[in-house]
Amino acid sequence: MKAAQIIELKKPLRVGNVPDPTPGPHDVIVKVEASGVCRSDWHTWMGDLGWVGLTTELPLIPGHEMGGVVAEVGKEVKNFKSGDRVSTPFHEACTHCSYCLSGRSNICEHSQVYGTVKDGAYAEYINIPNGDFNLVHLPDEVDSLTAAAIGCRYMTGFHGISRSNIKPGEWLVVNGTGGVGLSAVQVGSAVGAQVIAVDVDDKKLDMARKEGAVVTINARKENVPEAVKEITKGGAQASIDALGIRETILNSVLSLRKGGRHVQIGITTSKESGIVDIPIDIVTLSELEIIGSYGNPRTEYDGLLGLIAQGKLNPKSLISREISLDGVTDVFNAMSNYQTYGFNIITDFS
């Protein structure tokens, strides 16, 4: 099959033929029709994430946002057959740990991320272990392109909104309007929040307004916490950091009113290496909450797909362009300079 592989960190991906995957008894082989190029893939390409225990062995096929069609199933698979249209959460789960059994498969004790510690979806085919648990059927109204769009960034934004416990009419700040941030803007607006989008790129802020942000702030032109507190008359009820750098994390925490909730979605770069100073006395005296949010558990996927099928959410509007396997390196280079807009989706695997 044709695939794009990381051969050397920070170097152009190699596009060429690799062996086709073969299924074990509980595995499903999916023919990939669309695969998103995510900033998490860029982190892998950069050699980040070692500080959270993720070790990448090269060569590696990246990619963890996908939609496709079942091509082959293992002999023990019961819920899927050839021809079924499917997707999968990016965090493969074991099925049997306490987190999987309690509906929190996104933090599975034995979770592995496609395209980070094992081959992913920048390829014509991908192997999904424990397919009955890890795959999801796509409704007729959700095509493979949409499935790729929700495979990581959108479903992560969706879960982050859930974790924020935001209520209709409350103020929600979204720091960083890349893929995850725009997703959170759209979902937050859909549930009735008053969304303030923050970025340093006016083009991205224009996109955020189109997705429902009622106010935008350019962090290079304004002091973000001061601007938020003036707009909201005291601070936001919830704030999301969707980027993962020190500046946006601090802006998020400092933009909250008393009793507010900071939701951390963005993964840090090698500069922070997972460690960022927090104004802990303000957290204490204002009874702020700091909440982590990772991916989206399998138990919440059907609800997400249902809202998309009903037209209440529209992740496809965030797709900026479709590319080929040969175009991935250019996207990674653009990500290094924060110059990507919306979602770039691989649809040409030739």
Side-chain angles (χ1 to χ4, degrees), residues 168-205:
E170 291 186 338
W171 289 100
L172 169 71
V173 182
V174 177
N175 294 274
T177 53
V180 172
L182 284 175
S183 301
V185 168
Q186 188 185 106
V187 177
S189 177
V191 302
Q194 298 187 83
V195 181
I196 300 173
V198 181
D199 207 290
V200 298
D201 187 323
D202 286 332
K203 182 176 178 180
K204 291 182 179 179
L205 293 174

Side-chain angles (χ1 to χ4, degrees), residues 236-262:
Q237 281 86 2
S239 185
I240 289 172
D241 173 55
L243 187 56
I245 63 173
R246 180 182 182 275
E247 179 182 355
T248 56
I249 294 168
L250 285 175
N251 281 344
S252 179
V253 173
L254 294 173
S255 294
L256 294 170
R257 67 179 60 205
K258 291 184 177 182
R261 303 169 298 279
H262 163 75

Side-chain angles (χ1 to χ4, degrees), residues 137-152:
H137 288 282
L138 294 177
D140 292 340
E141 300 87 352
V142 179
D143 59 17
S144 291
L145 193 60
T146 302
I150 67 173
C152 172

Side-chain angles (χ1 to χ4, degrees), residues 5 15 38 40 81 95 117 147 158 166 177 187 208 211 234 279 286 292 302 340 342 348:
Q5 292 176 294
V15 177
C38 178
S40 297
K81 63 183 185 306
T95 78
V117 297
F158 176 83
I166 197 73
T177 53
V187 177
E211 297 304 331
S286 298
D302 289 343
T340 53
D348 180 358

Side-chain angles (χ1 to χ4, degrees), residues 75 90 102 128 142 181 200 296:
K75 62 182 181 179
F90 68 81
S102 63
I128 306 298
V142 179
V200 298
N296 190 54

